[in-house]
Amino acid sequence: LTILFGGFYINADSMPEWIGWLENLSTIRWCFEAYCINEYKTLDAEFCSDSDDRCVSSLEVLDQLSFGTDLWTPTIVLASLFAGFHVIAFTCLRFNRTKYIEAEEPARSY
């Protein structure tokens, strides 16, 4: 599911609202957004298509992907997801530990 909601296959704005919240739990989405912002925010270039004579700037690429231009947002969300998933894993391991049957000490026989 994280790959599906990562932004590679489906744009964030084209997802139905009732399932769109799942993209916020996708670590791939936030890594992809941080990567795109890092690459396209400071790039001063235009990308042109061979099929039509339309050219888009690097900031329009971010807009078409439904990404912002602030690099701190995906960084903070990734750190929060990292911490949250570790707390959930620790809680599961802490309270679901193996329970052993108590055994009595064997009687000594000589």
Short mmCIF file of all heavy atoms in Angstrom, two decimals, residues 35-75:
data_model
loop_
_atom_site.label_atom_id
_atom_site.label_comp_id
_atom_site.label_asym_id
_atom_site.label_seq_id
_atom_site.Cartn_x
_atom_site.Cartn_y
_atom_site.Cartn_z
N TYR A 35 12.53 14.30 -2.05
CA TYR A 35 13.46 14.19 -3.17
C TYR A 35 13.08 15.17 -4.29
O TYR A 35 13.94 15.87 -4.83
CB TYR A 35 13.47 12.76 -3.70
CG TYR A 35 14.21 12.60 -5.00
CD1 TYR A 35 15.59 12.64 -5.04
CD2 TYR A 35 13.52 12.44 -6.19
CE1 TYR A 35 16.27 12.51 -6.23
CE2 TYR A 35 14.19 12.31 -7.39
CZ TYR A 35 15.57 12.35 -7.40
OH TYR A 35 16.22 12.24 -8.59
N CYS A 36 11.80 15.22 -4.63
CA CYS A 36 11.36 16.11 -5.72
C CYS A 36 11.56 17.58 -5.35
O CYS A 36 11.99 18.37 -6.19
CB CYS A 36 9.90 15.84 -6.05
SG CYS A 36 9.63 14.30 -6.92
N ILE A 37 11.26 17.94 -4.12
CA ILE A 37 11.47 19.32 -3.70
C ILE A 37 12.96 19.66 -3.74
O ILE A 37 13.35 20.74 -4.21
CB ILE A 37 10.88 19.55 -2.28
CG1 ILE A 37 9.36 19.48 -2.33
CG2 ILE A 37 11.33 20.89 -1.72
CD1 ILE A 37 8.72 19.47 -0.97
N ASN A 38 13.79 18.75 -3.30
CA ASN A 38 15.24 18.98 -3.31
C ASN A 38 15.76 19.15 -4.74
O ASN A 38 16.62 19.99 -4.99
CB ASN A 38 15.95 17.83 -2.61
CG ASN A 38 17.43 18.08 -2.47
OD1 ASN A 38 17.84 19.17 -2.12
ND2 ASN A 38 18.22 17.05 -2.74
N GLU A 39 15.24 18.38 -5.65
CA GLU A 39 15.72 18.44 -7.03
C GLU A 39 15.16 19.63 -7.81
O GLU A 39 15.88 20.28 -8.55
CB GLU A 39 15.38 17.15 -7.76
CG GLU A 39 16.18 15.96 -7.33
CD GLU A 39 17.66 16.11 -7.64
OE1 GLU A 39 18.01 16.56 -8.74
OE2 GLU A 39 18.47 15.79 -6.75
N TYR A 40 13.86 19.90 -7.67
CA TYR A 40 13.19 20.85 -8.56
C TYR A 40 13.05 22.26 -7.99
O TYR A 40 12.80 23.19 -8.74
CB TYR A 40 11.79 20.34 -8.94
CG TYR A 40 11.84 19.13 -9.83
CD1 TYR A 40 11.30 17.93 -9.41
CD2 TYR A 40 12.41 19.19 -11.09
CE1 TYR A 40 11.33 16.80 -10.23
CE2 TYR A 40 12.45 18.08 -11.91
CZ TYR A 40 11.91 16.89 -11.47
OH TYR A 40 11.95 15.80 -12.27
N LYS A 41 13.18 22.44 -6.69
CA LYS A 41 12.94 23.77 -6.11
C LYS A 41 13.96 24.79 -6.59
O LYS A 41 13.61 25.91 -6.95
CB LYS A 41 12.95 23.68 -4.59
CG LYS A 41 12.62 24.99 -3.92
CD LYS A 41 12.59 24.83 -2.42
CE LYS A 41 12.32 26.15 -1.74
NZ LYS A 41 12.35 26.02 -0.28
N THR A 42 15.22 24.43 -6.58
CA THR A 42 16.26 25.39 -6.96
C THR A 42 16.68 25.26 -8.42
O THR A 42 17.52 26.03 -8.88
CB THR A 42 17.50 25.20 -6.07
OG1 THR A 42 17.95 23.86 -6.19
CG2 THR A 42 17.15 25.49 -4.62
N LEU A 43 16.12 24.31 -9.12
CA LEU A 43 16.49 24.08 -10.52
C LEU A 43 15.84 25.15 -11.39
O LEU A 43 14.63 25.36 -11.35
CB LEU A 43 16.04 22.69 -10.96
CG LEU A 43 16.46 22.22 -12.34
CD1 LEU A 43 17.97 22.09 -12.39
CD2 LEU A 43 15.81 20.90 -12.67
N ASP A 44 16.62 25.82 -12.19
CA ASP A 44 16.11 26.86 -13.08
C ASP A 44 16.11 26.30 -14.50
O ASP A 44 17.01 26.59 -15.29
CB ASP A 44 16.95 28.12 -12.97
CG ASP A 44 16.34 29.29 -13.71
OD1 ASP A 44 15.11 29.29 -13.90
OD2 ASP A 44 17.09 30.19 -14.11
N ALA A 45 15.11 25.48 -14.79
CA ALA A 45 15.06 24.85 -16.11
C ALA A 45 13.61 24.70 -16.54
O ALA A 45 12.69 24.79 -15.73
CB ALA A 45 15.73 23.48 -16.06
N GLU A 46 13.44 24.47 -17.83
CA GLU A 46 12.11 24.18 -18.37
C GLU A 46 12.17 22.82 -19.05
O GLU A 46 13.16 22.46 -19.68
CB GLU A 46 11.69 25.26 -19.37
CG GLU A 46 11.32 26.55 -18.71
CD GLU A 46 10.55 27.46 -19.64
OE1 GLU A 46 10.44 27.15 -20.85
OE2 GLU A 46 10.05 28.49 -19.17
N PHE A 47 11.09 22.09 -18.90
CA PHE A 47 10.99 20.76 -19.48
C PHE A 47 9.95 20.81 -20.58
O PHE A 47 8.79 21.18 -20.35
CB PHE A 47 10.59 19.75 -18.40
CG PHE A 47 11.54 19.75 -17.24
CD1 PHE A 47 11.27 20.48 -16.09
CD2 PHE A 47 12.73 19.04 -17.32
CE1 PHE A 47 12.15 20.48 -15.03
CE2 PHE A 47 13.61 19.04 -16.27
CZ PHE A 47 13.32 19.76 -15.12
N CYS A 48 10.37 20.41 -21.78
CA CYS A 48 9.49 20.48 -22.94
C CYS A 48 9.16 19.08 -23.42
O CYS A 48 9.97 18.16 -23.33
CB CYS A 48 10.15 21.26 -24.07
SG CYS A 48 10.54 22.96 -23.62
N SER A 49 7.96 18.94 -23.95
CA SER A 49 7.49 17.66 -24.45
C SER A 49 7.66 17.62 -25.96
O SER A 49 7.52 18.63 -26.65
CB SER A 49 6.01 17.49 -24.08
OG SER A 49 5.49 16.35 -24.70
N ASP A 50 7.98 16.44 -26.49
CA ASP A 50 8.12 16.29 -27.93
C ASP A 50 6.77 16.21 -28.64
O ASP A 50 6.64 16.58 -29.79
CB ASP A 50 8.93 15.03 -28.26
CG ASP A 50 10.38 15.18 -27.84
OD1 ASP A 50 10.86 16.33 -27.77
OD2 ASP A 50 11.03 14.15 -27.59
N SER A 51 5.76 15.69 -27.93
CA SER A 51 4.46 15.51 -28.56
C SER A 51 3.71 16.82 -28.76
O SER A 51 3.01 17.00 -29.74
CB SER A 51 3.60 14.54 -27.74
OG SER A 51 3.39 15.07 -26.45
N ASP A 52 3.86 17.77 -27.85
CA ASP A 52 3.29 19.10 -28.03
C ASP A 52 4.34 20.14 -27.63
O ASP A 52 5.36 19.82 -27.05
CB ASP A 52 2.00 19.28 -27.22
CG ASP A 52 2.19 19.01 -25.74
OD1 ASP A 52 3.29 18.61 -25.34
OD2 ASP A 52 1.22 19.20 -24.98
N ASP A 53 4.11 21.35 -27.98
CA ASP A 53 5.11 22.40 -27.74
C ASP A 53 4.93 23.06 -26.38
O ASP A 53 5.25 24.23 -26.21
CB ASP A 53 5.03 23.45 -28.85
CG ASP A 53 5.47 22.88 -30.18
OD1 ASP A 53 6.28 21.94 -30.16
OD2 ASP A 53 5.02 23.37 -31.23
N ARG A 54 4.47 22.32 -25.40
CA ARG A 54 4.24 22.86 -24.07
C ARG A 54 5.48 22.65 -23.21
O ARG A 54 6.02 21.56 -23.15
CB ARG A 54 3.03 22.17 -23.44
CG ARG A 54 2.67 22.73 -22.10
CD ARG A 54 1.33 22.18 -21.65
NE ARG A 54 1.04 22.70 -20.33
CZ ARG A 54 1.14 22.00 -19.21
NH1 ARG A 54 1.50 20.74 -19.26
NH2 ARG A 54 0.87 22.55 -18.06
N CYS A 55 5.92 23.71 -22.55
CA CYS A 55 7.07 23.63 -21.64
C CYS A 55 6.60 24.00 -20.23
O CYS A 55 5.77 24.89 -20.06
CB CYS A 55 8.17 24.57 -22.08
SG CYS A 55 8.90 24.14 -23.66
N VAL A 56 7.14 23.30 -19.25
CA VAL A 56 6.80 23.59 -17.85
C VAL A 56 8.07 23.87 -17.08
O VAL A 56 9.13 23.30 -17.37
CB VAL A 56 6.01 22.43 -17.19
CG1 VAL A 56 4.66 22.27 -17.83
CG2 VAL A 56 6.79 21.15 -17.25
N SER A 57 7.96 24.75 -16.11
CA SER A 57 9.12 25.06 -15.27
C SER A 57 9.23 24.02 -14.16
O SER A 57 8.36 23.18 -13.96
CB SER A 57 8.97 26.46 -14.66
OG SER A 57 7.93 26.47 -13.72
N SER A 58 10.33 24.11 -13.42
CA SER A 58 10.55 23.13 -12.37
C SER A 58 9.54 23.28 -11.23
O SER A 58 9.13 22.30 -10.62
CB SER A 58 11.98 23.25 -11.83
OG SER A 58 12.21 24.56 -11.35
N LEU A 59 9.10 24.51 -10.94
CA LEU A 59 8.08 24.71 -9.91
C LEU A 59 6.71 24.19 -10.36
O LEU A 59 5.91 23.74 -9.54
CB LEU A 59 7.99 26.18 -9.51
CG LEU A 59 9.21 26.72 -8.77
CD1 LEU A 59 9.06 28.20 -8.47
CD2 LEU A 59 9.47 25.94 -7.50
N GLU A 60 6.44 24.24 -11.67
CA GLU A 60 5.19 23.68 -12.18
C GLU A 60 5.19 22.15 -12.09
O GLU A 60 4.14 21.54 -11.92
CB GLU A 60 4.96 24.12 -13.63
CG GLU A 60 4.58 25.57 -13.76
CD GLU A 60 4.46 26.00 -15.21
OE1 GLU A 60 5.23 25.49 -16.06
OE2 GLU A 60 3.59 26.83 -15.49
N VAL A 61 6.36 21.55 -12.17
CA VAL A 61 6.46 20.10 -11.98
C VAL A 61 6.04 19.74 -10.56
O VAL A 61 5.26 18.80 -10.35
CB VAL A 61 7.90 19.60 -12.26
CG1 VAL A 61 8.06 18.16 -11.86
CG2 VAL A 61 8.25 19.78 -13.72
N LEU A 62 6.50 20.49 -9.57
CA LEU A 62 6.10 20.25 -8.19
C LEU A 62 4.60 20.47 -8.01
O LEU A 62 3.94 19.73 -7.27
CB LEU A 62 6.87 21.16 -7.24
CG LEU A 62 8.35 20.86 -7.07
CD1 LEU A 62 9.00 21.92 -6.20
CD2 LEU A 62 8.56 19.49 -6.49
N ASP A 63 4.06 21.47 -8.69
CA ASP A 63 2.63 21.75 -8.60
C ASP A 63 1.81 20.62 -9.23
O ASP A 63 0.76 20.24 -8.72
CB ASP A 63 2.32 23.09 -9.26
CG ASP A 63 0.90 23.53 -8.99
OD1 ASP A 63 0.47 23.42 -7.82
OD2 ASP A 63 0.23 23.99 -9.94
N GLN A 64 2.28 20.07 -10.34
CA GLN A 64 1.57 18.97 -11.00
C GLN A 64 1.60 17.70 -10.15
O GLN A 64 0.69 16.89 -10.21
CB GLN A 64 2.17 18.69 -12.37
CG GLN A 64 1.86 19.74 -13.39
CD GLN A 64 2.54 19.47 -14.71
OE1 GLN A 64 3.33 18.52 -14.86
NE2 GLN A 64 2.27 20.30 -15.71
N LEU A 65 2.64 17.53 -9.36
CA LEU A 65 2.73 16.38 -8.47
C LEU A 65 2.00 16.60 -7.14
O LEU A 65 1.99 15.72 -6.29
CB LEU A 65 4.20 16.05 -8.18
CG LEU A 65 5.01 15.51 -9.35
CD1 LEU A 65 6.49 15.43 -8.99
CD2 LEU A 65 4.49 14.16 -9.77
N SER A 66 1.42 17.78 -6.97
CA SER A 66 0.70 18.17 -5.74
C SER A 66 1.63 18.23 -4.53
O SER A 66 1.23 17.86 -3.43
CB SER A 66 -0.47 17.21 -5.46
OG SER A 66 -1.33 17.14 -6.54
N PHE A 67 2.85 18.67 -4.75
CA PHE A 67 3.82 18.84 -3.68
C PHE A 67 4.00 20.32 -3.40
O PHE A 67 3.89 21.16 -4.28
CB PHE A 67 5.17 18.23 -4.05
CG PHE A 67 5.16 16.75 -4.21
CD1 PHE A 67 6.12 16.12 -4.98
CD2 PHE A 67 4.21 15.96 -3.59
CE1 PHE A 67 6.13 14.75 -5.12
CE2 PHE A 67 4.21 14.58 -3.73
CZ PHE A 67 5.18 13.98 -4.49
N GLY A 68 4.36 20.63 -2.17
CA GLY A 68 4.68 22.01 -1.81
C GLY A 68 6.13 22.31 -2.15
O GLY A 68 6.79 21.55 -2.87
N THR A 69 6.62 23.41 -1.62
CA THR A 69 8.02 23.77 -1.89
C THR A 69 8.83 23.83 -0.60
O THR A 69 10.00 24.19 -0.63
CB THR A 69 8.11 25.13 -2.60
OG1 THR A 69 7.43 26.11 -1.80
CG2 THR A 69 7.49 25.07 -3.98
N ASP A 70 8.23 23.48 0.53
CA ASP A 70 8.92 23.52 1.81
C ASP A 70 9.53 22.14 2.10
O ASP A 70 8.81 21.15 2.21
CB ASP A 70 7.95 23.91 2.92
CG ASP A 70 8.63 24.02 4.27
OD1 ASP A 70 9.84 24.30 4.30
OD2 ASP A 70 7.95 23.81 5.29
N LEU A 71 10.83 22.08 2.22
CA LEU A 71 11.52 20.80 2.45
C LEU A 71 11.38 20.32 3.88
O LEU A 71 11.53 19.13 4.16
CB LEU A 71 13.00 20.93 2.07
CG LEU A 71 13.84 19.66 2.04
CD1 LEU A 71 13.24 18.64 1.08
CD2 LEU A 71 15.25 19.98 1.64
N TRP A 72 11.08 21.21 4.82
CA TRP A 72 10.98 20.81 6.22
C TRP A 72 9.73 19.97 6.50
O TRP A 72 9.75 19.13 7.40
CB TRP A 72 10.99 22.04 7.13
CG TRP A 72 12.37 22.58 7.27
CD1 TRP A 72 12.87 23.71 6.71
CD2 TRP A 72 13.45 21.99 8.00
NE1 TRP A 72 14.19 23.87 7.05
CE2 TRP A 72 14.56 22.82 7.84
CE3 TRP A 72 13.57 20.83 8.77
CZ2 TRP A 72 15.79 22.54 8.43
CZ3 TRP A 72 14.79 20.56 9.35
CH2 TRP A 72 15.87 21.41 9.18
N THR A 73 8.65 20.19 5.77
CA THR A 73 7.42 19.43 6.03
C THR A 73 7.63 17.93 5.84
O THR A 73 7.34 17.17 6.76
CB THR A 73 6.28 19.95 5.13
OG1 THR A 73 6.09 21.34 5.39
CG2 THR A 73 4.99 19.19 5.40
N PRO A 74 8.13 17.46 4.70
CA PRO A 74 8.34 16.01 4.59
C PRO A 74 9.39 15.48 5.55
O PRO A 74 9.30 14.34 6.02
CB PRO A 74 8.74 15.79 3.14
CG PRO A 74 9.06 17.11 2.58
CD PRO A 74 8.41 18.13 3.43
N THR A 75 10.38 16.30 5.89
CA THR A 75 11.41 15.87 6.82
C THR A 75 10.83 15.64 8.22
O THR A 75 11.11 14.62 8.86
CB THR A 75 12.55 16.90 6.88
OG1 THR A 75 13.03 17.15 5.56
CG2 THR A 75 13.67 16.44 7.76
#
